[in-house]
Amino acid sequence: MVHYIIVITLLALGLSPHCLSSKTVGGGYLYPQFYGHSCPKAQEIVRNVVAKAVAKEPRMAASLLRLHFHDCFVKGCDASILLDSSGSIISEKRSNPNRNSARGFEVIDEIKAVMEKECPHTVSCADIMALAARDSTVLTGGPSWEVPLGRRDARGASLSGSNNNIPAPNNTFQTILTKFKLQGLGIVDLVALSGSHTIGNARCTSFRQRLYNQSGNGQPDNTLDQSYASQLRRNCPRSGGDQNLFFLDFVSPIKFDNSYFKNLLANKGLLNSDQVLFTKNGESRELVKTYAYNQELFFLQFAKSMIKMGNISPLTGYRGEIRQNCRKINA
């Protein structure tokens, strides 16, 4: 029933329902019912473990959502981010975007342990991450969508890909957009997916330059509301306090809503990569305004863009493997 509602909604928006499933590069399809027979309780298992983790620590929802994003932007959605260093593998966990900040690995481990008991060697770590990202969004008040499934897990990682492909907080608008376009995602996807910053935290080190030296001239960022900037300086000094945490959306930090976009209208985006969506490009500026005034439209586009992102170069068929332990390739 839910599937039909989404399809009808997509058609009403002039979108193709085929964004719910996609043919992948190596043949084979991703589709929501992939585990219907082989592991009917798969989605329920993910939902239960994620719900428990988020109830214990609300911040975990944003961490699991981010994990899926940081995985898909490197070699596709193949769970390469979960691999620890061993043998010839250098873990993506060591990259600049992930070091000291990527988290939620233990939650994925817990889901995988339950899954292996219920249906051994069946559900991939990549699919677990895609489902956990959706469930994290729903649990915090955001939209739901049917997750196309059938991904398999990579047998390798890419440290350089992780360092180069993932947009950084201090990148220019054009650099961020280019990184999205290289993954087959456009400006609409960029703005909608940035809306995931309605939940979660960022470290002082990721926006300090905006407070003290935005352009190398010793001056703060003039696109940052000054009263907000002075609040931020209290816990983000010129030096030290690198790991101090700040809400990405100070208005409703653990609720998935559209206040992130309202903050951008008020020049109160935390990261440079947030505020440039409003200040550096006319098209993205209009999208920010649209989502700030219409939460329903934001939710619809976020779901569509998450499905699209989850379709980046998945391994299907006989490519890759179904890892038994998400942290290491099968023996």
Side-chain angles (χ1 to χ4, degrees):
M1 181 65 186
V2 176
H3 182 70
Y4 292 114
I5 292 167
I6 291 176
V7 169
I8 289 161
T9 308
L10 291 172
L11 289 170
L13 282 172
L15 308 172
S16 165
H18 294 299
C19 66
L20 287 174
S21 65
S22 84
K23 194 166 194 314
T24 58
V25 181
Y29 286 83
L30 298 186
Y31 57 98
Q33 299 79 21
F34 188 83
Y35 298 109
H37 296 296
S38 60
C39 193
K41 287 190 177 169
Q43 301 211 31
E44 185 188 330
I45 289 168
V46 176
R47 192 163 52 244
N48 290 344
V49 177
V50 171
K52 193 175 69 175
V54 172
K56 188 172 154 195
E57 185 196 6
R59 182 186 169 206
M60 188 52 72
S63 300
L64 291 169
L65 190 50
R66 184 171 183 256
L67 212 50
H68 181 44
F69 173 64
H70 280 213
D71 180 49
C72 290
F73 266 59
V74 184
K75 307 195 312 95
C77 310
D78 61 2
S80 59
I81 193 173
L82 302 178
L83 290 168
D84 289 336
S85 295
S86 69
S88 63
I89 293 169
I90 303 170
S91 177
E92 292 169 19
K93 296 172 186 178
R94 293 186 183 183
S95 72
N96 292 328
N98 294 331
R99 197 174 53 241
N100 300 325
S101 72
R103 53 201 300 280
F105 300 109
E106 298 76 14
V107 179
I108 303 296
D109 290 340
E110 189 183 339
I111 296 168
K112 186 61 176 169
V114 179
M115 203 74 83
E116 285 298 306
K117 279 193 189 122
E118 176 70 25
C119 23
H121 323 312
T122 304
V123 181
S124 69
C125 302
D127 278 345
I128 287 171
M129 277 202 292
L131 288 167
R134 188 270 313 272
D135 293 342
S136 295
T137 304
V138 173
L139 279 162
T140 47
S144 186
W145 60 92
E146 290 219 69
V147 180
L149 300 165
R151 300 167 190 80
R152 286 165 66 87
D153 300 323
R155 292 196 181 98
S158 174
L159 182 65
S160 63
S162 190
N163 274 320
N164 298 324
N165 298 5
I166 298 169
N170 55 355
N171 280 161
T172 64
F173 175 83
Q174 200 49 55
T175 299
I176 297 165
L177 182 58
T178 299
K179 288 180 178 182
F180 268 72
K181 283 185 171 170
L182 287 170
Q183 305 297 342
L185 301 170
I187 194 164
V188 176
D189 303 305
L190 163 58
V191 178
L193 292 172
S194 296
S196 63
H197 285 179
T198 178
I199 54 172
N201 302 68
R203 298 172 298 155
C204 164
T205 179
S206 61
F207 61 88
R208 176 184 279 126
Q209 91 285 346
R210 298 192 72 204
L211 301 179
Y212 302 103
N213 189 21
Q214 175 69 353
S215 309
N217 58 1
Q219 296 300 309
D221 185 347
N222 61 9
T223 67
L224 181 63
D225 177 87
Q226 289 312 301
S227 65
Y228 181 45
S230 62
Q231 280 174 36
L232 295 171
R233 284 190 200 99
R234 285 176 211 153
N235 287 314
C236 187
R238 272 179 195 274
S239 62
D242 284 8
Q243 305 301 319
N244 292 354
L245 290 174
F246 295 78
F247 292 127
L248 285 158
D249 166 12
F250 66 94
V251 175
S252 51
I254 58 173
K255 185 168 179 6
F256 198 104
D257 57 20
N258 67 336
S259 57
Y260 163 83
F261 296 105
K262 294 176 181 175
N263 295 341
L264 298 186
L265 299 188
N267 292 318
K268 292 179 179 179
L270 183 64
L271 306 178
N272 184 68
S273 55
D274 294 323
Q275 198 59 51
V276 292
L277 300 179
F278 189 63
T279 57
K280 296 297 185 191
N281 178 279
E283 194 181 342
S284 72
R285 183 187 179 94
E286 290 310 309
L287 287 163
V288 168
K289 287 183 190 169
T290 300
Y291 299 150
Y293 299 131
N294 190 331
Q295 180 169 284
E296 195 181 345
L297 221 72
F298 162 49
F299 278 14
L300 278 168
Q301 185 57 52
F302 184 80
K304 183 173 176 256
S305 293
M306 283 296 290
I307 291 167
K308 198 170 164 187
M309 185 186 81
N311 275 329
I312 299 172
S313 309
L315 299 171
T316 57
Y318 295 102
R319 299 187 309 149
E321 64 181 18
I322 305 295
R323 274 183 231 147
Q324 289 172 262
N325 176 340
C326 291
R327 292 174 182 263
K328 56 187 188 194
I329 57 174
N330 296 337

